[in-house]
Amino acid sequence: MPYGKPTQESALTKPVSITTLRKMKSEGNKFVCVSLYDAPMAAMAQKTGIELLLVGDSLGMTVLGYDDTIPVTMEHMIYHVEAVRRGNNKSMIMGDLPFMSYATPEQAMINATRIMQAGAHMVKLEGGEWIAETVKMLTDRGIPVCGHIGLTPQYVNKFGGFRVQGRNEQQAEIIYNDARMLEEAGADLLVMECIPSSLAKTITESLDIPTIGIGAGKDTDAQVLVINDILGLTEKPPKFSKNFLEETASIPGALMKYAEDTRNRIFPAEENIFV
Ligand code: KIV
């Protein structure tokens, strides 16, 4: 294999689908998601048995060096989705729709189609009630959707910074209702970011679709972390993340430890949780 092109050995015997993830929820088995951006990491995730990959628009910060996700474009996303897909043929891959690429349902259709044609199996959109119409339109036409609520990074300027959401009763009720509306509209998965763990637990128990937490406590159906945080590449790591490379001697070891600790409910620990 010239120049270290990743091979596709696999701990996953069959391609992962929405059905796999729903079954895992119904059987009480946690699944694992990593936000990553290139072929070698995608290949390593396959070797490690990571069920779900997110090509997140966090790449604006982690790869491209921006302060937030606002500058990320469709071209950036497509380039990275294609790379991840080349490195992995078993995990389920979801791609973020970047800032303002789904401001109307029609725009969302065009841009979600591009992400799917780049190799994703699903798209992720940030927002609550206002994206329900878009979620219905996409899912009715065969594009699976993952919603993203709580601290939605594309709203950083509206939130006035990266802050925990849903700490007061009124905010918590809005987030809860958003979750229900997204499921009703046809969403297949739901990411909940930086919300109190009790709220994430209530939402997880009231939905049929699997929930994925990041800074949302122990009781979600799955966890997601950004690869840079797992590998200790982030100078000021967020409270909800953990450097797993510190405890292991290698990159595959760090991914494996993250996956095992998530499945065994060791991660997130009390210090990673918001109340
Ligand atoms: O962009 C991203 O990586 C994400 C995760 C942090 C959930 O949205």
Side-chain angles (χ1 to χ4, degrees):
M1 194 62 70
Y3 309 118
K5 181 182 183 299
T7 57
Q8 285 180 333
E9 288 164 33
S10 188
L12 297 164
T13 47
K14 286 194 294 191
V16 176
S17 69
I18 282 293
T19 317
T20 323
L21 303 181
R22 273 194 180 251
K23 187 160 179 275
M24 289 183 80
K25 172 170 178 140
S26 72
E27 291 171 351
N29 292 322
K30 273 210 174 198
F31 60 88
V32 183
C33 178
V34 180
S35 187
L36 48 73
Y37 323 100
D38 60 32
M41 285 301 164
M44 207 161 278
Q46 177 163 329
K47 277 179 205 153
T48 318
I50 307 280
E51 288 89 0
L52 182 64
L53 308 186
L54 167 64
V55 184
D57 62 353
S58 51
L59 66 84
M61 290 117 108
T62 54
V63 177
L64 302 177
Y66 293 119
D67 290 333
D68 52 44
T69 59
I70 307 300
V72 176
T73 64
M74 279 299 299
E75 284 64 37
H76 293 139
M77 291 309 306
I78 287 168
Y79 180 85
H80 286 278
V81 169
E82 286 175 347
V84 166
R85 184 58 190 271
R86 283 192 289 267
N88 185 312
N89 62 8
K90 291 285 190 301
S91 308
M92 183 152 184
I93 298 172
M94 64 180 170
D96 263 335
L97 282 184
F99 184 64
M100 283 302 143
S101 66
Y102 53 101
T104 66
E106 290 70 27
Q107 261 185 311
M109 286 252 294
I110 292 166
N111 289 319
T113 303
R114 294 178 71 198
I115 296 282
M116 297 294 282
Q117 288 177 338
H121 306 107
M122 172 180 257
V123 296
K124 179 164 79 59
L125 277 66
E126 296 181 10
E129 185 180 358
W130 79 268
I131 60 162
E133 186 191 346
T134 301
V135 170
K136 179 158 176 27
M137 195 162 186
L138 295 177
T139 54
D140 280 352
R141 286 158 181 76
I143 300 183
V145 173
C146 176
H148 183 159
I149 57 174
L151 170 50
T152 42
Q154 291 174 17
Y155 290 66
V156 59
N157 294 303
K158 186 79 179 143
F159 290 155
F162 294 102
R163 299 174 199 289
V164 178
Q165 302 294 305
R167 273 190 161 144
N168 66 51
E169 224 173 280
Q170 196 193 355
Q171 260 190 9
E173 202 180 315
I174 293 172
I175 292 174
Y176 177 82
N177 290 334
D178 283 344
R180 299 295 303 247
M181 262 180 250
L182 292 173
E183 176 171 73
E184 268 164 40
D188 296 278
L189 295 176
L190 183 66
V191 166
M192 301 190 285
E193 179 163 353
C194 292
I195 60 171
S197 49
S198 55
L199 175 60
K201 183 173 193 285
T202 306
I203 294 174
T204 299
E205 286 169 354
S206 76
L207 299 186
D208 289 330
I209 59 170
T211 62
I212 306 167
I214 176 162
K218 274 183 189 298
D219 297 303
T220 53
D221 300 308
Q223 284 290 324
V224 58
L225 277 187
V226 166
I227 190 73
N228 292 46
D229 292 343
I230 294 174
L231 301 181
L233 293 171
T234 312
E235 256 171 60
K236 289 188 189 152
K239 173 184 162 78
F240 58 73
S241 74
K242 183 169 171 187
N243 174 354
F244 286 90
L245 194 62
E246 243 166 24
E247 294 177 19
T248 52
S250 67
I251 294 176
L255 267 182
M256 188 70 88
K257 178 89 177 115
Y258 161 58
E260 278 172 8
D261 283 6
T262 297
R263 293 191 218 287
N264 297 328
R265 295 162 202 270
I266 295 166
F267 178 80
E270 282 312 308
E271 70 260 24
N272 309 116
I273 285 173
F274 300 109
V275 286

